[in-house]
Amino acid sequence: MNNLEHVKVWDDCLSIIRQLVEPQKFDTWFVPLKAVSFVDNTITVEVPTDFFREYLESTYLDQLRFAIRRVIGEKAGLKYMVKAVSGQPPMKLAAAKVQTPVNKSVSVNTYPTGGNPGAIVYPGLKRVNINPRLNPVYCFENLVEGECNKMGISAGLSISQAPGKTPFNPLFIFGGPGLGKTHLAQAIGIAIKQRFPDLVVLYVTGNEFKTQYMDRAGVKNELTDFMAFYMRIDVLIVDDIQDLVGPATQQAFFNIFNTLHDNGKQLIFASDRAPADLQNFEQRMLTRLKWGLSVQLQTPSYETRLDVLKARCEREGVEIAEDILEFIANKIKSNFRELEGVLISLIAHATLARQEVTIELAEQVIGNIVGDEKNDLTIDKVQKTVCDYFKITKEVLLSKSRKRDIVQARQIAMYLSRNLIKCSLATIGSELGGKDHSTVLHACSTVSDLMSVDKGFRQYVTDIEKMLVPVEN
């Protein structure tokens, strides 16, 4: 292997990422990365600190995955090697007070591969290990309680003491991005595993469930095994359930839901919108999602935001002056994700530059990461603005038309939704004509390419962005 092959592979990846990330953020978070090796389709890159790695994973995972798969292939892998900063104490990742939950292996019915199982075909039994996919960082001990999430935490603690036996089944957690839906949902799962180690717990996203179903739907008997697998789960946690779209997928999930619920198994769902606001869901599915308790997570108060910053500093083993934490808590008001993201980036910047953590540095980091308020932008508002600009209807924008001007308008809407609103790729695709996440990534890449070579096209995007985020004189 060429000794410089890993450098070329990583440079090719960076060329793609550069098109998907704002220049300033690319310089901050990707330029410091260095390729170390390329072995067995896995590229290893050196990162300055653990904080750096964590922020990359939490903020740019989609872009990283898209780039390495484009360059290396579908079996591509990415590993990190943390470089110790000379003269600085080692920094720790957020530590949980619990061990990583592990499920015991269970028996799942499987059917012979020959043909569809008939009435006289007896299934076989297969012992399988089900990874609960629960992150120990997302435990109740690391969850700061406030008025914004008090009801959800109370319900979650009740469920953890008697899963499937409380009125909160299913539990439906909803709220805007970064308000702690995933943390709360996984905390319940972790607490259940601590109290009832023999129960089988599984965390999965709506998009992952949909992909798993589609992979098996066309293969003989694999769909039967897929259904049998999910029907053995004791506590099923589905995050981003708004991505669970498609009649066939919902039909399969409907049957799983009924089986688990009828057998007293616990169901927990998380979504960025209330059950009544879910789009492209069958009415019978919506009815079941409303059976138990729906809990909305609210925007955190100043006191809660400050408590979160203090708790995160304690978990990381770092000390930051309280006036700086108060400054951050006053500036970041929307959600926990941005709040902790700013704190992590602040410490990373101070570590890399060997600077003292000051209010001036905090202000700079906040400006780089959060920027100005985006006027409560929504995907719907982006769609409406694009339609007004190009003088087309929303029905035309969301149609399957392949006319060049319509396709470009749709791609611009995806690009602006991705860059101005921190929604998942699957959510953007769902709201823009039922596209999948790879289509959204392709659209973002296409718009970036056209903006770099076509002045007229770049003007379109700039004009629409100014309409959405007016620039103050």
Side-chain angles (χ1 to χ4, degrees):
M1 182 184 75
N2 189 329
N3 290 334
L4 296 178
E5 183 179 359
H6 60 284
V7 176
K8 182 180 184 308
V9 169
W10 183 240
D11 285 345
D12 290 343
C13 293
L14 289 179
S15 296
I16 296 173
I17 295 171
R18 188 187 296 272
Q19 300 171 8
L20 305 176
V21 177
E22 296 176 12
Q24 190 175 31
K25 293 182 178 179
F26 179 86
D27 292 341
T28 301
W29 295 105
F30 292 95
V31 170
L33 305 180
K34 295 181 180 179
V36 175
S37 65
F38 179 55
V39 180
D40 295 332
N41 291 323
T42 298
I43 183 76
T44 300
V45 296
E46 183 182 82
V47 295
T49 66
D50 273 331
F51 286 114
F52 214 95
R53 179 202 64 78
E54 184 181 12
Y55 188 81
L56 281 173
E57 285 282 288
S58 64
T59 308
Y60 297 111
L61 182 60
D62 290 333
Q63 291 90 332
L64 284 164
R65 182 184 290 122
F66 177 74
I68 65 172
R69 286 182 177 176
R70 174 75 70 86
V71 174
I72 302 172
E74 286 300 315
K75 296 183 178 180
L78 174 64
K79 290 183 178 180
Y80 302 95
M81 185 175 77
V82 179
K83 177 183 179 182
V85 180
S86 177
Q88 295 290 332
M91 291 194 174
K92 302 174 292 182
L93 276 175
K97 298 180 181 179
V98 297
Q99 295 180 340
T100 302
V102 177
N103 286 322
K104 294 184 177 179
S105 63
V106 298
S107 298
V108 175
N109 291 339
T110 60
Y111 290 86
T113 57
N116 292 325
I120 60 172
V121 176
Y122 293 94
L125 284 178
K126 179 182 179 182
R127 300 290 293 181
V128 298
N129 293 315
I130 301 175
N131 182 353
R133 304 178 73 243
L134 296 172
N135 186 341
V137 171
Y138 292 148
C139 60
F140 276 116
E141 290 84 350
N142 288 341
L143 186 59
V144 175
E145 182 177 327
E147 289 301 319
C148 58
N149 58 14
K150 188 174 183 178
M151 183 177 178
I153 291 176
S154 297
L157 290 171
S158 295
I159 290 171
S160 68
Q161 295 173 12
K165 296 179 175 61
T166 72
F168 314 139
N169 193 21
L171 175 66
F172 193 101
I173 307 164
F174 69 97
L179 294 181
K181 300 183 295 295
T182 298
H183 191 151
L184 176 56
Q186 291 209 24
I188 300 170
I190 291 170
I192 290 173
K193 285 299 296 182
Q194 288 177 312
R195 193 176 183 89
F196 304 98
D198 289 338
L199 294 186
V200 179
V201 180
L202 176 65
Y203 168 89
V204 65
T205 68
N207 193 55
E208 288 168 341
F209 181 93
K210 178 181 177 181
T211 301
Q212 292 168 5
Y213 170 79
M214 293 173 66
D215 286 345
R216 289 160 177 78
V219 183
K220 284 184 177 180
N221 300 321
E222 284 202 12
L223 181 57
T224 306
D225 292 348
F226 170 81
M227 299 293 287
F229 169 87
Y230 269 96
M231 289 176 181
R232 293 303 306 270
I233 305 300
D234 296 308
V235 181
L236 178 60
I237 304 169
V238 184
D239 204 350
D240 290 324
I241 198 168
Q242 71 275 359
D243 296 337
L244 198 67
V245 294
T249 304
Q250 285 187 26
Q251 174 65 44
F253 188 76
F254 177 82
N255 292 330
I256 292 170
F257 180 107
N258 285 344
T259 299
L260 295 181
H261 195 274
D262 290 348
N263 286 286
K265 309 301 183 181
Q266 182 65 49
L267 295 155
I268 301 168
F269 307 124
S271 173
D272 62 5
R273 65 203 71 176
D277 296 329
L278 290 172
Q279 298 182 2
N280 303 316
F281 270 69
E282 296 181 9
Q283 189 58 42
R284 61 177 184 169
M285 193 70 247
L286 290 176
T287 301
R288 280 160 175 76
L289 294 178
K290 300 173 186 177
W291 271 356
L293 174 67
S294 294
V295 175
Q296 181 177 12
L297 302 186
Q298 306 284 349
T299 302
S301 65
Y302 166 78
E303 291 76 14
T304 304
R305 299 196 299 271
L306 186 58
D307 286 344
V308 166
L309 291 172
K310 290 179 179 178
R312 187 61 189 260
C313 286
E314 183 178 348
R315 283 161 51 198
E316 299 294 351
V318 297
E319 291 186 8
I320 295 180
E322 184 153 349
D323 62 331
I324 297 175
L325 298 181
E326 290 173 351
F327 175 79
I328 297 172
N330 266 312
K331 286 286 186 179
I332 309 298
K333 302 176 182 179
S334 55
N335 61 63
F336 295 120
R337 186 177 298 148
E338 285 189 353
L339 196 66
E340 295 198 19
V342 165
L343 180 65
I344 291 168
S345 184
L346 176 64
I347 299 172
H349 276 71
T351 303
L352 287 170
R354 299 179 178 84
Q355 292 179 269
E356 182 183 354
V357 178
T358 63
I359 288 181
E360 289 74 23
L361 181 59
E363 191 168 18
Q364 177 188 338
V365 169
I366 290 171
N368 290 342
I369 294 179
V370 180
D372 298 326
E373 292 294 326
K374 300 296 188 282
N375 298 326
D376 298 323
L377 283 180
T378 63
I379 296 178
D380 187 66
K381 185 174 181 180
V382 172
Q383 292 177 13
K384 185 178 185 304
T385 305
V386 170
C387 290
D388 291 344
Y389 185 84
F390 288 111
K391 295 180 172 56
I392 59 177
T393 65
K394 186 175 178 179
E395 288 72 22
V396 171
L397 180 72
L398 302 183
S399 70
K400 295 183 180 180
S401 172
R402 302 306 302 165
K403 290 183 179 179
R404 184 170 177 269
D405 55 342
I406 303 301
V407 170
Q408 287 191 346
R410 192 181 303 129
Q411 290 177 331
I412 290 173
M414 292 179 180
Y415 173 85
L416 292 175
S417 295
R418 180 61 172 165
N419 282 273
L420 300 180
I421 311 170
K422 303 305 180 184
C423 290
S424 69
L425 296 170
T427 297
I428 295 171
S430 174
E431 300 265 350
L432 279 153
K435 310 298 182 184
D436 60 29
H437 71 284
S438 61
T439 302
V440 179
L441 270 178
H442 174 72
C444 293
S445 178
T446 300
V447 172
S448 296
D449 289 343
L450 287 173
M451 288 176 66
S452 64
V453 298
D454 188 331
K455 292 179 65 176
F457 184 85
R458 182 167 63 248
Q459 190 62 51
Y460 295 157
V461 179
T462 302
D463 288 347
I464 297 170
E465 188 168 2
K466 287 179 179 178
M467 294 166 67
L468 290 166
V469 186
V471 178
E472 295 183 1
N473 293 324

